[in-house]
Amino acid sequence: MKQQLEEIMQRAKEKLSLVKEKSELEEIRLAFLGKKGELTAILKGMGALSAEERPKIGQIANQVREYIEEAIESKGIELSAKELEQKLKAEKVDVTMPSKKTMIGGRHPLSSVIEEISRIFIGMGYEIAEGPEVELDYYNFEALNTPKNHPARDAQDTFYFTENILLRSQTSPVQARVMQSQKPPIKIICPGKVYRADEIDATHSPVFHQIEGLVIDKGVTMGDLKGTLELFAKNIFGESTKIRLRPHHFPFTEPSCEVDVSCWSCGGEGCRTCKGEGWIEILGAGMVHPNVLKECGIDPEVYSGFAFGLGVERTAMGRFGIKDLRLFYENDLRFLKQF
Ligand code: DAH
């Protein structure tokens, strides 16, 4: 048996030395070590050996098995290295071939403006708040001092799911949600989509973006509002930008104002962009109405605050000199690639 084992080892050695392809290795493994392999056959016959001989032969058989296993493995490694070397030799790199262009996506101009504005306010200590686009009538109107029969609802005619659930027509409902869930001091902005039943034209879209701002603390005044917005406008439209507050009415602020910035095209002299006015309206703002504070569980005798709602499309149009808002939504790469 010992001799048989030595012969097996010898034969395995010879066969392995002749191997050229990796696939042959598996055949050799099966022929010697497989279930029906030569070595396995010997091991099976060991039952017939005497108790004395069995461990000796067993030891040799194990050595032979180990030897064959290792030899197969190292041959495999050797062949892999050869294969790689041949492959590298055969392959030529043609450095003059034009490469495949990788398309790198870019930020949508509305996203970059939202990010830019958010960064300005984060720099002033604001946090970003979020609210649902499918909103309750209560938050979109009722909690904002705009009861069911209020005429201000007409200006924001929107899409209703039921009488009490709608697509938010403004980001202002987030004000009420934040005030009801956080204690002052509060300092948040909320960028997001809003919906209105408006016809599409160069300055209107039924879906657009706003950024809401809200600050509630002790002793907050209209002066703080003005200073904040001035800093914001200069950051976005340039250092020489001026702002102007015009009296207005919003149900949820008192006093309320609309805020204009000096025209980004002409600097205030009057041109086509500002329709000869020298000013362009970009947002609504005011001091949070005491009724709103009360409804949200904040004592108006102790706290005051300001709020504002900014049109993102309008700001982006000014920032990038875009004349038609529809371009933002048409996904024409010739337009989008410019940003
Ligand atoms: N939500 C108003 C709108 O969509 C804009 C606005 C005005 C928001 C005054 C405010 C505010 O927070 O104080 O027209």
Side-chain angles (χ1 to χ4, degrees):
M1 240 184 202
K2 196 176 160 202
Q3 200 185 340
Q4 268 178 310
L5 284 168
E6 270 162 14
E7 276 170 25
I8 287 178
M9 193 160 102
Q10 208 50 45
R11 231 171 309 121
K13 237 187 213 174
E14 275 165 29
K15 282 210 162 160
L16 278 170
S17 69
L18 298 173
V19 165
K20 295 245 157 50
E21 301 271 339
K22 261 165 97 177
S23 57
E24 294 170 51
L25 291 176
E26 182 59 12
E27 279 167 34
I28 294 182
R29 200 186 62 78
L30 286 174
F32 289 95
L33 309 175
K35 266 192 193 151
K36 292 178 184 153
E38 291 188 38
L39 188 69
T40 319
I42 300 254
L43 291 172
K44 276 183 189 156
M46 271 177 46
L49 295 175
S50 69
E52 223 174 86
E53 261 185 319
R54 212 177 294 150
K56 285 185 198 151
I57 297 294
Q59 201 188 0
I60 301 174
N62 268 337
Q63 283 167 354
V64 172
R65 185 174 50 81
E66 268 170 36
Y67 169 82
I68 298 177
E69 274 171 0
E70 274 168 26
I72 289 177
E73 198 187 319
S74 60
K75 189 78 187 177
I77 294 171
E78 186 188 313
L79 287 175
S80 295
K82 261 195 196 145
E83 261 174 33
L84 180 66
E85 197 183 322
Q86 266 164 8
K87 207 171 148 201
L88 289 177
K89 264 191 201 154
E91 274 176 11
K92 280 198 194 101
V93 179
D94 181 354
V95 290
T96 64
M97 281 254 288
S99 64
K100 274 192 200 142
K101 273 222 174 96
T102 33
M103 294 275 279
I104 298 175
R107 273 230 148 62
H108 191 280
L110 289 178
S111 302
S112 15
V113 165
I114 290 175
E115 209 176 277
E116 204 175 323
I117 297 172
S118 301
R119 227 178 267 153
I120 295 171
F121 281 101
I122 287 169
M124 292 193 262
Y126 286 66
E127 283 175 33
I128 309 276
E130 280 184 346
E133 287 171 29
V134 177
E135 183 56 285
L136 294 171
D137 183 90
Y138 170 76
Y139 285 113
N140 197 75
F141 291 125
E142 209 91 13
L144 299 173
N145 203 30
T146 319
K148 286 255 190 292
N149 57 359
H150 198 291
R153 287 197 179 212
D154 293 348
Q156 297 196 4
D157 194 13
T158 185
F159 304 95
Y160 283 85
F161 295 99
T162 68
E163 207 181 311
N164 293 316
I165 302 175
L166 45 81
L167 287 173
R168 66 178 179 195
S169 61
Q170 46 187 354
T171 41
S172 305
V174 182
Q175 285 187 30
R177 286 182 173 275
V178 170
M179 282 190 271
Q180 287 185 7
S181 63
Q182 292 179 27
K183 294 220 148 26
I186 292 169
K187 233 175 149 181
I188 57 110
I189 56 162
C190 167
K193 281 197 190 70
V194 300
Y195 302 82
R196 288 189 198 174
D198 282 340
E199 293 287 336
I200 302 174
D201 63 28
T203 52
H204 291 89
S205 156
V207 188
F208 59 103
H209 298 77
Q210 289 188 331
I211 296 183
E212 194 75 14
L214 174 71
V215 173
I216 307 281
D217 205 348
K218 288 177 183 161
V220 177
T221 70
M222 197 96 182
D224 297 314
L225 171 65
K226 192 176 177 206
T228 303
L229 294 178
E230 208 160 50
L231 203 136
F232 156 73
K234 284 182 189 299
N235 259 287
I236 279 282
F237 299 113
E239 208 32 55
S240 59
T241 309
K242 293 191 190 68
I243 65 164
R244 170 174 91 167
L245 275 58
R246 273 182 296 105
H248 197 75
H249 172 265
F250 295 106
F252 35 91
T253 41
E254 181 59 34
S256 306
C257 59
E258 277 191 325
V259 179
D260 302 337
V261 294
S262 50
C263 177
W264 43 72
S265 275
C266 63
E269 270 162 35
C271 66
R272 272 176 63 188
T273 307
C274 57
K275 302 198 182 89
E277 293 274 321
W279 297 93
I280 296 172
E281 183 222 317
I282 55 157
L283 59 86
M287 299 305 291
V288 181
H289 199 292
N291 286 354
V292 175
L293 292 174
K294 264 187 247 163
E295 178 65 28
C296 297
I298 292 173
D299 186 351
E301 298 295 328
V302 181
Y303 290 102
S304 60
F306 65 75
F308 57 87
L310 167 82
V312 174
E313 276 76 357
R314 214 169 252 205
T315 310
M317 286 163 90
R319 183 81 183 69
F320 298 125
I322 295 160
K323 300 258 176 326
D324 193 325
L325 156 156
R326 284 169 287 200
L327 288 164
F328 288 131
Y329 311 118
E330 284 167 353
N331 288 334
D332 186 334
L333 284 179
R334 288 169 301 180
F335 170 73
L336 293 174
K337 273 183 177 165
Q338 297 173 49
F339 304 97

